[in-house]
Amino acid sequence: MNQSILFSDDLTVELEKKCVRFSAQQMGSLINCSVSFSWLEEESGESICHHDKANEVFNQLRFDIEEKAEALIEDEEFNASGEIEIN
C-alpha cells in the first residue's frame, strides 16, 4: 500500500445519488472519492436500500475500496470534477 495516500474515516451516505462518499489525502491535497451502491452490492452480494446497510457494507469492504481508490488515484483516473469514482 502506498503510504503517500491516506484515507480518512469520514463517510457520507448519499441515498439520492446511491453512493458512499469518503476522502483521501495525497501530499496534502484532499481528494473526494465515492463508491456506488451498485459496486458495493456486486462485491458484497447484498442489497443496499438504507443508510445503515450502506455503512455496514462499506466497512466490510473498506480494504478493497481503499485499494481500488488508491490505484485510481495513482493512475490519475479523476472525473471532470477532480474526484475518484468507483462504479
Side-chain angles (χ1 to χ4, degrees):
M1 181 178 266
N2 184 339
Q3 294 300 314
S4 69
I5 299 174
L6 303 172
F7 292 92
S8 64
D9 290 334
D10 65 330
L11 291 182
T12 305
V13 176
E14 294 190 2
L15 293 174
E16 63 284 347
K17 293 185 179 180
K18 297 184 186 224
C19 71
V20 178
R21 295 190 149 292
F22 60 102
S23 63
Q25 285 191 350
Q26 182 183 38
M27 298 186 311
S29 295
L30 182 66
I31 302 168
N32 292 314
C33 306
S34 66
V35 58
S36 68
F37 283 8
S38 61
W39 190 91
L40 293 171
E41 290 172 337
E42 186 176 314
E43 294 296 311
S44 69
E46 299 184 47
S47 179
I48 298 173
C49 56
H50 56 81
H51 182 275
D52 292 340
K53 189 63 174 180
N55 265 330
E56 177 187 326
V57 172
F58 183 95
N59 285 317
Q60 288 172 354
L61 298 172
R62 180 180 287 275
F63 180 79
D64 295 330
I65 294 165
E66 289 179 358
E67 193 172 74
K68 177 84 170 156
E70 182 178 305
L72 292 169
I73 291 167
E74 289 174 350
D75 291 343
E76 298 183 10
E77 296 288 331
F78 300 97
N79 67 15
S81 300
E83 299 177 346
I84 293 296
E85 294 178 318
I86 301 171
N87 293 312

